[in-house]
Structures are given as structure tokens and as C-alpha cells.
Amino acid sequence: MRRIPFKIIFASASTIWILAACTDSLSETLGTDSPSIVFTPQTETRTVVETPDDMKAFNVWGGYDGNNVFKATLVQKTAEAGWKYDGTRYWISGKNYNFYGVYPSETSATVEGGIIKVNGFDTAANYGEQAVDLMTAASPVMSGDDAQQVYLNFSHELCKVRFTVKAESGIPVTTVQKVILYGYTGQGNFSTETSSRWTLDGNPYTNADSPLKFDGNESLTDTHPIEGEEWLLIPQTAESLKLDFSYTQNDVQKELSLDLTSNGKVQWNAGKAYHYVVTVKSNAISFAQFVIDEWRASSTGGDIVIP
């Protein structure tokens, strides 16, 4: 048998991690001093994961020939000993292993036959401090005879969406009452068995029930934009995505509805961020969509001017 000292290593800026394993020979008779799997220390987690330092705990599945060496095993960070889990696991010669990971550890996930599933995932409040940044990972087949490295590449299974209302200098006195994005579906089932990974469940939100909104009476100036929360949503193709905008200028009530699918369906992909920006000008309103690849590099999706 062989011991498995694991460590999480940051691999690239595209939010991929490596779960590496090195091996040393052990006798078949294991004593009380047999080594356990050890994880490297990490810093405190944040809601949205940008680097492995943001991870606090995750679950691991894995084994050989249908034997679950790990089954939803909690791996969590401790201040004293880094990454730890309960129990001790060893390689067995002649066996081929697979490993799977799901983050965060609170996710109600299952892994059977190498298929990761998360049913009933709901994004109705998936923003801010309570947001769940769902990530999954799967290793290549690993031999117990030569277990030198096991790669678990954690990837984001959700996308980020937010809106901003901003203003040019010199606009009339403007107060924003409501901004709402709707036409997307907030619930779904996840499975690595399908190429799309997500199956939507339920009807798209309407302007009456969408949670992705701003409600209030707030002054809008060139130095005080209205920033919507950053939501983590299910990747999907929206056939009728709209942004409604209610505001007053010099005490005159105005309503604006932008059809974001006027030029075709809107595609939200996992691991990307979508930022919708409305700019109030002195004589018009402009709209632009920014797609942020891998949540980092930004590119504009076009600009629409509404007189």
C-alpha cells in the first residue's frame, strides 16, 4: 500500500486547481504511525472563488472497482494542520482509481458511476455573502502501482451576471426607482452526464417575480452609479431576456424596457461574467453588454443608444 499526501496547487488564471498526490512505499502491515492524507494550508474562503486560497472545504468521492474509498468525504482547512479529513486512506497496488470533487462542501451532490449530479439547484438568492459558487472536478484514471499525481481541475459551473446604471456629467436631476433583469430561469439540475451539464427547471422569471433587481429611490449622478449585486446564475440560452429601467428626470416619470434578445438569443456560459450597463446621457440613454471571459478579461458586446 502507499500513502497519499495531497496538496492543492493553483494552476492558472482560468480558475483551475490541481489536487496533487505523491507516493512513498509502505509495508502491507500498517502501524499506528502510518501517514494520512495531508493538505496544504489555505487562507479564508470568500463567496466567489478566484484562487484556491478562497476555498475552505469541499467533498471528495473516489475509489476503484466500485469501492468508495472516498464518498462525500469532507476535506476542510484547519489552522493547525492545513487540509484534513477523518480517517486514513491508502493506495492498493493493482487497482485503478478515479477521484471527483465538489465545492462547496454544503452542496447536495451525488457521484455514481463517475457522474456528478446536483438536483434542484436554486439561484433565487445566489448573490453576495450567501452565494454558492458551484465547482466540480474529476481526475484522470490513476494506478495504485504508480500514484505520483492526481489532477483535480476544479471549474466553475455557474456564470456571473450583474448590471450597472451610470450617468454622464451634466444630466438633469435623475432618481432611479427600479432596475430589473428578467427572462432567465433560476432553477435547474446539474449532471456531468450531459454535454450541456444543466437542465433548466421551471419557467423564466418575469418582471413581476425576478429577484435580480434594484428597488428604491436613489439619486443618479456621474459620481454615484447604481450598482446591482453580482449574481451567480445557471448557464443557459435565454430567448427573451429584458432589462426594465424606471426613473424620473426633473420630476418626470420615465420607463424604459430593453430587449437584450432583439438580435437573437442570449447565451450565458459557465465560468464567464456578463455585465449589462445602462448609461444615462443628457439627451439619450445608451446600453452596452460586456462579456468577461474567465471572469477576468473584458470585451464589449455592443452599444445601443436610445434617444
Side-chain angles (χ1 to χ4, degrees):
M1 295 188 183
R2 305 181 180 200
R3 64 181 178 182
I4 319 173
F6 283 95
K7 59 177 67 177
I8 289 183
I9 305 169
F10 182 58
S12 75
S14 59
T15 320
I16 296 176
W17 293 268
I18 296 174
L19 183 59
C22 300
T23 63
D24 294 311
S25 296
L26 283 175
S27 65
E28 288 293 323
T29 303
L30 300 175
T32 57
D33 60 345
S34 300
S36 63
I37 298 174
V38 178
F39 291 84
T40 57
Q42 305 290 317
T43 59
E44 286 302 310
T45 187
R46 294 198 304 264
T47 300
V48 178
V49 176
E50 300 288 356
T51 75
D53 290 343
D54 303 331
M55 299 177 70
K56 185 178 181 180
F58 56 92
N59 287 336
V60 170
W61 289 255
Y64 59 90
D65 300 336
N67 294 298
N68 293 311
V69 179
F70 294 90
K71 186 175 182 180
T73 302
L74 176 65
V75 182
Q76 58 187 338
K77 183 175 53 184
T78 65
E80 299 80 14
W83 293 95
K84 289 187 65 178
Y85 67 90
D86 292 334
T88 304
R89 313 292 197 273
Y90 298 96
W91 295 102
I92 298 178
S93 296
K95 303 298 183 181
N96 291 325
Y97 291 76
N98 291 91
F99 298 95
Y100 306 90
V102 176
Y103 173 89
S105 59
E106 297 84 1
T107 305
S108 297
T110 62
V111 178
E112 295 182 5
I115 305 299
I116 303 173
K117 292 185 178 181
V118 180
N119 291 324
F121 194 87
D122 191 352
T123 63
N126 208 27
Y127 68 92
E129 293 183 357
Q130 72 266 25
V132 174
D133 186 3
L134 178 64
M135 297 193 298
T136 66
S139 76
V141 177
M142 193 68 210
S143 172
D145 295 324
D146 187 25
Q148 294 189 5
Q149 281 193 328
V150 175
Y151 293 94
L152 273 181
N153 298 328
F154 280 89
S155 59
H156 294 282
E157 302 297 353
L158 301 173
C159 60
K160 293 196 293 190
V161 179
R162 68 186 179 100
F163 63 74
T164 297
V165 179
K166 61 182 183 178
E168 286 187 343
S169 60
I171 66 169
V173 176
T174 301
T175 302
V176 177
Q177 284 95 29
K178 179 177 287 188
V179 185
I180 183 167
L181 183 68
Y182 61 98
Y184 71 93
T185 301
Q187 291 185 328
N189 301 314
F190 174 85
S191 174
T192 57
E193 189 173 19
T194 63
S195 58
S196 63
R197 296 198 168 217
W198 285 100
T199 302
L200 299 178
D201 184 16
N203 297 319
Y205 283 117
T206 69
N207 62 350
D209 61 10
S210 176
L212 208 166
K213 62 184 178 181
F214 164 82
D215 263 322
N217 285 280
E218 195 161 336
S219 296
L220 177 69
T221 68
D222 59 325
T223 60
H224 183 71
I226 307 298
E227 297 281 1
E229 293 278 1
E230 186 173 75
W231 287 70
L232 297 182
L233 301 179
I234 295 172
Q236 58 192 274
T237 301
E239 297 185 356
S240 182
L241 188 67
K242 295 184 178 181
L243 183 73
D244 285 357
F245 177 37
S246 301
Y247 65 106
T248 60
Q249 278 191 331
N250 290 333
D251 296 325
V252 177
Q253 183 68 40
K254 298 186 179 184
E255 306 284 342
L256 178 66
S257 183
L258 297 170
D259 185 356
L260 309 186
T261 49
S262 59
N263 294 322
K265 299 176 183 179
V266 169
Q267 179 68 47
W268 289 345
N269 295 316
K272 293 190 176 182
Y274 300 87
H275 186 193
Y276 299 100
V277 181
V278 176
T279 304
V280 178
K281 302 181 179 181
S282 57
N283 58 355
I285 291 177
S286 71
F287 166 78
Q289 172 186 296
F290 295 88
V291 180
I292 304 175
D293 297 329
E294 304 300 346
W295 300 12
R296 295 179 185 274
S298 179
S299 61
T300 182
D303 187 83
I304 302 172
V305 177
I306 301 96

